[in-house]
Amino acid sequence: MGYLHCCGALRKTRTFEIDDRYNKYKMCLLDILEQCPICQNYILQLTRVDFLNNISFIRKRNSKAIKFYLKLKPFIIHEFDKYKIPQGSKFFLYYNEFGSKKRCYSSLQSLKIGKFDNFENVIKANLINKIPNFSYNK
């Protein structure tokens, strides 16, 4: 879903992708505003981006826009639907830090609970023997 500027505001439009028969453009989009709520105009805008990233616009209103749309209608590939932005997971894990209860929203694979930062140095210093029932097989 795109937006067109009309009557001092951005208006939501229906957006279509257009097939480029001659392969001159990277992207061709057609935005259609069927009726502006203020001026009641039918507005159509064709936006094209070429391979040098130059942008060109063709904008039509009312009867000229309808004729232009009928001309481009056979080349419409698909319409861009309304889509939702994916949200993160709602899972969290409670943990205690300095007497306050906090929530951890990280994935469980990234948590470092109970892991030593320098495990090899702990083994060399013979501190691992102080942990009861601990076995380490390298």
Side-chain angles (χ1 to χ4, degrees), residues 28-39:
C28 295
L29 296 178
L30 182 68
D31 291 317
I32 299 173
L33 177 61
E34 293 178 356
Q35 187 176 21
C36 176
I38 308 253
C39 63

Side-chain angles (χ1 to χ4, degrees), residues 30 44 46 58 60 64-72:
L30 182 68
L44 182 134
L46 177 65
I58 298 175
K60 306 278 184 181
K64 290 183 181 180
I66 293 171
K67 289 177 187 176
F68 193 59
Y69 174 71
L70 292 175
K71 189 176 177 181
L72 292 177

